[in-house]
Structure formats: structure tokens, C-alpha cells
Amino acid sequence: MDAPVLPPTRRRRGASGITLGDVARLAGVSPITASRALNTPQQVAPETLARVRAAVERTGYVPNRLAGGLASARSRLVAAVVPTIAGPVFMETVESLTAALADSGYQLMLGQSGYADSREDALLEAIIGRRPDGIVLTGIMHSATGRRRLMSSGIPVVETWDLTPTPIDMLVGFSHADAGAAVADYLHARGRRRPAVLSGDDERARRRLQGFTRRLQQLGTVADAADVAVRLVPAPTTLGSGRAGLAALLDLDPAPDAVFCSSDLLALGVLTEAAARGVAVPERIAVIGFGDLAFAGDSHPSLTTVRIDGTGIGRLAARCIVERAEGRSVEGRVFDVGFSVIERASA
Amino acid sequence: MDAPVLPPTRRRRGASGITLGDVARLAGVSPITASRALNTPQQVAPETLARVRAAVERTGYVPNRLAGGLASARSRLVAAVVPTIAGPVFMETVESLTAALADSGYQLMLGQSGYADSREDALLEAIIGRRPDGIVLTGIMHSATGRRRLMSSGIPVVETWDLTPTPIDMLVGFSHADAGAAVADYLHARGRRRPAVLSGDDERARRRLQGFTRRLQQLGTVADAADVAVRLVPAPTTLGSGRAGLAALLDLDPAPDAVFCSSDLLALGVLTEAAARGVAVPERIAVIGFGDLAFAGDSHPSLTTVRIDGTGIGRLAARCIVERAEGRSVEGRVFDVGFSVIERASA
DNA sequence: ATGAAAGCGCTAACAT
DNA sequence: ATGTTAGCGCTTTCAT
């Protein structure tokens, strides 16, 4: 039998080599009609629709989104950048972001910036190269070069977990300085006069620390910022560094009567060390965490902390991107989701 | 001046509309040469290379990987599926996977399967549609339909965190039954004769549980599987369910003298509840966790647990995918990374 | 070492 | 409601 005249090797097609054209042929329509049947079914006659769907079913066709994205300039891909996945802080946000995006037919690409700026450029290149419909920045950002690059890329950007004065584009976060101040108020109202801070050494934690000490000065708890005992530990914070941190703080004279920790994990370490030493919490020392992670309500004593709605942040970030991608305009570009101090037993 | 004759609206190009063609023109070469300069520089004359690189620099060109992927049938995208991102268990694996892939020029796409099978089909469709060069399945898998679909997609698949008898393709994991048995041995050797299990209700934990009780029978610790007190808690496990779990186990008569927890978080909850009740660990009850999360060494008492090299799993999974994608063959398709019981103070 | 032609699989822009 | 045409931006194949 004569094979039809074809160029020698028809090229390796993706193993599941069924294309829209194949489906269309099987359904007896043109490719564009098949495309419409899948993407905008209301534009297609019911009977045609049924034929196309049957053809899809029979062939097991899965549309190639690379091709679709190239043709339509909409990749339906969203990139998220986190300093590290292994930190518990942003997980909630990434989780809800992933879920919310999936609901709208978008997929999440994950990038780790690390806590260093060096690989950041490579990461941006990798991300922009995929032409995502949006980029969600979580936590720390960014070299000035990186910011400029993002702006000129024209890709919608949502920065999260912070409220910076000059956002790249959109912003979903809260004021870390205000959160620190709120904790200062809380401790002051409960009569604590020798507060200390145990803090991871990252930018946002430092901002909370600043807000905290500043408010303590305003309240008259301390005369000078230097009067607040501060112990910095390297990021990421751990239970172990919390234990070591409390040990160090207890050696001070006078010993503090409260510790504001920059993370719940740190606070859990403080509780652990206090229990190990027989130091009564909150009687001898009050402990406040940050984040309200899942375990905060179940520690012993239960942990007073600052709650951030990480899930809400993720969901809102997703909405910002999706609305923009679909050409709908969002009312506003800066969203303050706030925070709340959750009173429990430890303070 | 006469504009060159062009179709009316040249179509909206991606905002940063610089293409390889633009770069090539600027460098005075053909597009394909510019392409080679970027992808296989050794094929290009040094002087040409320099001109192309200069043009890239000047224009801020970022290659469109959607187009590249479409043309080359290599997306340099890898999909990872986890039940949930918010669980601490797989974070380490996802982190090292992301990092290892990035080092080889691949990007990670994240999908959440949830603990339910319902959305799984949609997720697979979304993933396969992107034509990733590989798929990493972490934890639970999968409806028979899903497995078949993956196999017929022709995309390399790595299942992780488990050793199943009939892998879809490649496998990087360890035997949960063996891990359970090892814990049984450990407790038996230390004279514990009334061991209990506090376990999240998921498949792999159940497999460990089975290995655990079976070995206890072999050892003669119990006559019957039903003699091992088992308390199941819903996944995901929390510190709170650990506390509640111990409370329930202590009500038994006779009370257990050891608890094997299906996660470190659960074990931390047990330690917490024990401390709150003044139950001495390990004297009155020994506690063993699973996972060796970061905090395990720092709890009070420090936690005896089973260590899994999550980072190694991620790195190895990345290697499997990358080697396959680059056409190199990997020696073997099943890798047992094992586990180790870490002896600390709690047991 | 470089280039010309063709096409990856899909969708936007016009038809009709 | 459906089809035709012309690309999206890149890489493959085959020449030179």
C-alpha cells in the first residue's frame, strides 16, 4: 500500500499525540469549532457540541495549554514567589492561593527566592519566561533591579504580607509596625513593664519590633528604645532558637516580665524552655507569639498571639490576579487585611 | 512617510513584546542563530555570540518558554502533586525538589489533590494540559482512572514517600510497614509491653500501624492485633489531636506504657498533654513520633522519632525526572531511601 | 558556523 | 453558528 506522501519523520509528537485537529476531524467540524466547543460552548449548536464532546471522550484528548497560551497570550499560569516553602508562615497563603486559582482554571508555579538576592535574577527570568498571567510575591521583595524588571514586564504583580509605601502594582497585606504597636498596647494594659523581644532577623520582624518599641516609648514603659531587651535569632526561626532565646533573656538583670516573639514557633520554644525550667507562664513571664499557627491554641499554656488571615491573603491575591487577567477591573490596588491580637493563656 | 504595508492591528503582543526575531535583527543574524547563541552557545562563533548577547542585554529580551516548549516538545516544567501544602510533612521534599529542579533549569508547578479523589481528575487534566516533562506524586495516589491516565500520557512519573508494589513509573520512597516494625522492635527492646498507637487516618499511617502490630505479635508482646490500643484521629494531624489522643489513651485500663504517633506533631501534642497532667515521659509512658521535623530535637523531653530524608527524596525525584527528560537513562526505577529511628529522650 | 523553510497546536480576526 | 486565514515565538530539519 502506498503511504500518503509525508515528510520523512513526521516529528515526535507529545506521546499523547492527539490534537484539536484530530478531534475536529472525528467530529466532522473545523478545528476552530472544536476549540469553541471546549472554550465557549454557548457559541456552539447543541448538536455540534455533543459531537465534539463525544470525540474528546473517545480520544482522551487533553488540550495543549502551551499552544493555547501562545496563541492567546494568556497562559493561565500564576507564579508565586516565597522565600522558602519550608517555613510554616506562608503555607496557608500558598495553599489558599493554589486552591482559589485552581477554581478559576489557573495553575500555580512556585519559586523560592531563598533569603538571598543572588539567585533572584535567575528566578525572575525563569518566571517571566513562562509569561504568567500574574505574579504573587510573598514576604520579602526585592532588589531594585528585580522590581524594575517586574514593572516593565507588564505582568500583574501582587505583593503580600506587607504594606509597603510604593507597591510594584497591587498589594494585599497589613502593617507590621501597627501589629508591633498593638502588642505593646496589649502588654502595657496588662501591667507588663519590662518587655523583651525575641525576634527572627528578617525585615518584617524588624518592622514589628520597631513599632513595638516605639509604642512602648509613647506609653512611657521605657524611656529609650535601648531599654527594651532585644534578642535576634537567625531566620528561619525554630523551636530550638526560642528555647535558647528565653534562656538568654532570663539571664538579664532585671529579667523581663514579657517576651514578644516574632513567630509562634519561637514562642513555643519559649514556652518549652519555661516549662523545662519551671518558670511560670504567664505569672513570671508573659509570652506572645506571631502568626496564630494551628498549634497556638493547643500549646500549654495556650499561646496568646497575633492572628494574620493567611488564607484570606491568598484568596484575595488570587482574585486580584484573576480579575485583572479576565479584563475586569478591581476596585483598588491596596488591601489592608489587618491583624488581631488573640488573647489566650500565655499573656 | 509610507508605513510598510501591514495587516491592520498587528495583534497585541505580550507587553514586553521583544522577540527572538528582534534580537536577531539587532545583532544582524538570523533568528535561528540567535536561538543557538542562547541555547547552544558552543555552536556559534565567539564574535557572533557576543553580538547576540549584547542585543539581548540592550533589549532586555526574555525568551518565551511557552513558544519554546511548543516547538521543542519540552516544557521544562515539572508538576508536583501533594495532598495539601499546609502539612509539614512534604514541605521539605517540595523545597528540595524546587531547588534541585531550578538548578537544572526546570520550574515547579504545584497541585493540591486534597484528601479527596473528586477534584483529582480536574487536577490531572490541568497538569497534563501543560505537557510537563515530569510529574512528581507525593503522598497519596490515586484513583485507578488517574493512574491509567498518567501511564497513557507518556509523561515520566515519580511516586514518592512510599514503596508500592506496582509503581506507575518511577518510585522514590521507603516501606511504611518496615518503619512500623522497626518502631515495634525499638519499644520491645526497651521493655515496653503495653504499646498504643495514635495515628492519623491516612493510608500510609495505616500501613505503618499494620507493620507495627504485626511485629508486636511476632515478638510476643501481644497475642492478637486487637490487643494493641489504637486511636485514630482525622488527617491532618495536629498538636491538639495529640493532646486529646493521649487523654483518651490514659483512660484505658491498663494504661499503655508507650505511644507510637503517626506524626511528630501528634507526638508533640502527646508530650504537651503529658506535661500538663504531670505524666512523666518516658518513665510512665514512652513517646515516639514520625518524621523528625525540625522541632523534634528541641522538644522537652526531646522526641524519639523516625527520620525520613525528605530532602533526599526531593533531590532524587528531581534527578529521575531531569535525567529522563534529557534522554539519559537512569539506573533503576525504584529507589528505597530507607528511614532511621532516632533515639532521643522521649523513648 | 549560519541560514531558509516549515510547523509545534492552538486561537484571534475577519468572513459568511 | 461555523469556517478561513494567519499567525503566536520559537525550534526542528535540511541545506550551504
Side-chain angles (χ1 to χ4, degrees):
Chain A
M1 284 192 268
D2 285 5
V5 180
L6 284 178
T9 46
R10 193 84 181 76
R11 199 174 194 181
R12 100 281 76 157
R13 327 170 78 177
S16 109
I18 295 144
T19 72
L20 188 64
D22 300 332
V23 171
R25 207 167 311 123
L26 224 162
V29 298
S30 75
I32 185 63
T33 300
S35 169
R36 286 197 270 250
L38 296 174
N39 298 316
T40 51
Q42 69 280 12
Q43 284 188 40
V44 168
E47 196 234 336
T48 315
L49 190 55
R51 287 214 313 281
V52 173
R53 289 204 167 134
V56 168
E57 196 66 33
R58 262 215 299 292
T59 53
Y61 169 67
V62 179
N64 184 330
R65 305 263 173 229
L66 262 61
L70 179 60
S72 67
R74 292 192 45 204
S75 63
R76 292 180 164 279
L77 220 46
V78 172
V81 180
V82 296
T84 166
I85 295 157
V89 185
F90 304 126
M91 292 192 324
E92 210 187 315
T93 300
V94 174
E95 166 134 30
S96 76
L97 188 62
T98 309
L101 287 174
D103 286 347
S104 306
Y106 289 72
Q107 197 82 10
L108 190 82
M109 253 171 46
L110 202 54
Q112 293 179 114
S113 65
Y115 276 83
D117 276 7
S118 56
R119 280 198 348 128
E120 199 169 281
D121 212 55
L123 181 61
L124 277 183
E125 175 114 6
I127 289 176
I128 296 176
R130 308 271 175 204
R131 303 296 190 265
D133 292 340
I135 300 178
V136 178
L137 264 22
T138 291
I140 206 161
M141 183 79 329
H142 252 269
S143 56
T145 335
R147 299 178 62 90
R148 236 177 294 120
R149 207 147 166 211
L150 282 174
M151 303 190 78
S152 69
S153 76
I155 302 170
V157 172
V158 184
E159 292 166 280
T160 64
W161 277 85
D162 209 337
L163 235 45
T164 60
T166 53
I168 299 176
D169 182 359
M170 294 174 282
L171 197 56
V172 179
F174 60 93
S175 162
H176 288 262
D178 287 359
V183 171
D185 285 337
Y186 182 96
L187 289 176
H188 182 85
R190 277 148 190 85
R192 305 288 169 164
R193 291 298 177 270
R194 295 190 312 283
V197 174
L198 181 58
S199 178
D201 189 14
D202 77 84
E203 195 204 315
R204 292 182 317 284
R206 267 196 302 270
R207 216 109 41 71
R208 296 197 290 276
L209 167 55
Q210 248 173 39
F212 182 74
T213 49
R214 196 160 297 162
R215 177 61 57 90
L216 286 179
Q217 287 176 269
Q218 291 167 3
L219 292 167
T221 303
V222 297
D224 189 273
D227 294 344
V228 179
V230 173
R231 192 159 175 86
L232 291 182
V233 304
T237 57
T238 67
L239 196 148
S241 50
R243 292 191 68 166
L246 179 64
L249 287 174
L250 288 177
D251 282 345
L252 297 177
D253 184 24
D257 62 357
V259 199
F260 174 29
C261 303
S262 73
S263 80
D264 282 353
L265 210 52
L266 225 38
L268 190 62
V270 167
L271 293 183
T272 304
E273 184 65 17
R277 293 177 171 236
V279 172
V281 174
E283 292 76 8
R284 221 175 101 194
I285 191 162
V287 180
I288 296 196
F290 186 87
D292 195 29
L293 298 189
F295 63 76
D298 294 319
S299 63
H300 178 72
S302 65
L303 186 63
T304 295
T305 188
V306 180
R307 163 144 190 78
I308 310 300
D309 181 9
T311 300
I313 291 178
R315 198 170 35 223
L316 192 48
R319 248 199 58 208
C320 288
I321 300 276
V322 172
E323 298 290 289
R324 185 78 77 84
E326 324 256 297
R328 297 189 287 272
S329 66
V330 189
E331 67 310 345
R333 345 185 101 212
V334 175
F335 301 88
D336 186 344
V337 300
F339 56 84
S340 47
V341 179
I342 307 286
E343 172 160 19
R344 295 208 185 90
S346 72
Chain B
M1 287 189 267
D2 285 6
V5 179
L6 285 178
T9 47
R10 194 86 182 77
R11 200 170 191 184
R12 100 279 78 151
R13 327 169 80 176
S16 110
I18 295 146
T19 71
L20 188 63
D22 300 332
V23 171
R25 208 166 310 122
L26 226 162
V29 297
S30 74
I32 183 58
T33 300
S35 169
R36 285 197 272 249
L38 297 174
N39 298 316
T40 51
Q42 70 280 12
Q43 284 188 38
V44 168
E47 196 233 337
T48 316
L49 190 54
R51 286 216 313 281
V52 173
R53 288 203 168 135
V56 168
E57 196 66 34
R58 263 216 299 291
T59 53
Y61 170 67
V62 179
N64 184 331
R65 305 265 173 228
L66 261 60
L70 179 59
S72 67
R74 292 193 44 204
S75 62
R76 292 180 163 279
L77 221 46
V78 172
V81 180
V82 295
T84 164
I85 296 158
V89 185
F90 304 126
M91 292 193 322
E92 209 188 316
T93 300
V94 174
E95 165 134 29
S96 75
L97 188 61
T98 310
L101 287 173
D103 286 346
S104 306
Y106 290 71
Q107 197 82 11
L108 190 83
M109 254 171 46
L110 202 54
Q112 292 179 114
S113 66
Y115 276 84
D117 275 8
S118 56
R119 279 197 351 126
E120 199 170 279
D121 213 56
L123 182 61
L124 277 183
E125 175 114 6
I127 288 176
I128 296 175
R130 306 275 173 200
R131 303 296 190 264
D133 292 340
I135 301 178
V136 178
L137 264 24
T138 292
I140 206 161
M141 178 79 333
H142 251 270
S143 56
T145 335
R147 298 177 63 90
R148 237 177 295 121
R149 208 148 166 210
L150 282 175
M151 303 190 80
S152 69
S153 76
I155 302 170
V157 172
V158 184
E159 293 167 280
T160 64
W161 276 86
D162 209 337
L163 235 44
T164 60
T166 54
I168 299 176
D169 183 0
M170 295 173 282
L171 198 56
V172 179
F174 61 93
S175 162
H176 288 262
D178 288 358
V183 172
D185 286 337
Y186 182 96
L187 289 176
H188 182 85
R190 277 148 191 84
R192 305 288 170 164
R193 290 298 178 268
R194 296 190 310 283
V197 174
L198 181 59
S199 178
D201 190 14
D202 77 83
E203 196 204 314
R204 290 181 318 284
R206 267 195 302 271
R207 215 108 42 71
R208 295 197 290 274
L209 167 55
Q210 249 174 37
F212 182 74
T213 50
R214 196 160 296 162
R215 176 60 56 90
L216 286 179
Q217 288 177 266
Q218 292 169 0
L219 291 167
T221 304
V222 297
D224 191 273
D227 294 342
V228 179
V230 173
R231 190 157 178 87
L232 291 181
V233 304
T237 57
T238 67
L239 196 148
S241 50
R243 292 192 66 166
L246 179 65
L249 288 174
L250 288 176
D251 283 345
L252 297 178
D253 184 24
D257 63 356
V259 200
F260 175 29
C261 303
S262 75
S263 79
D264 281 352
L265 209 52
L266 224 39
L268 190 62
V270 167
L271 293 184
T272 303
E273 184 65 17
R277 292 175 172 239
V279 172
V281 175
E283 292 77 9
R284 225 175 98 193
I285 191 162
V287 180
I288 296 197
F290 186 86
D292 195 28
L293 299 189
F295 63 75
D298 294 318
S299 63
H300 179 73
S302 64
L303 185 64
T304 296
T305 188
V306 180
R307 163 142 192 79
I308 311 299
D309 181 9
T311 300
I313 292 179
R315 197 171 34 221
L316 192 48
R319 247 199 58 205
C320 287
I321 301 276
V322 171
E323 298 289 290
R324 187 78 77 84
E326 324 257 295
R328 296 188 288 271
S329 66
V330 189
E331 68 308 346
R333 346 184 102 212
V334 175
F335 301 88
D336 185 344
V337 299
F339 56 85
S340 47
V341 180
I342 307 286
E343 173 160 18
R344 295 208 184 90
S346 72

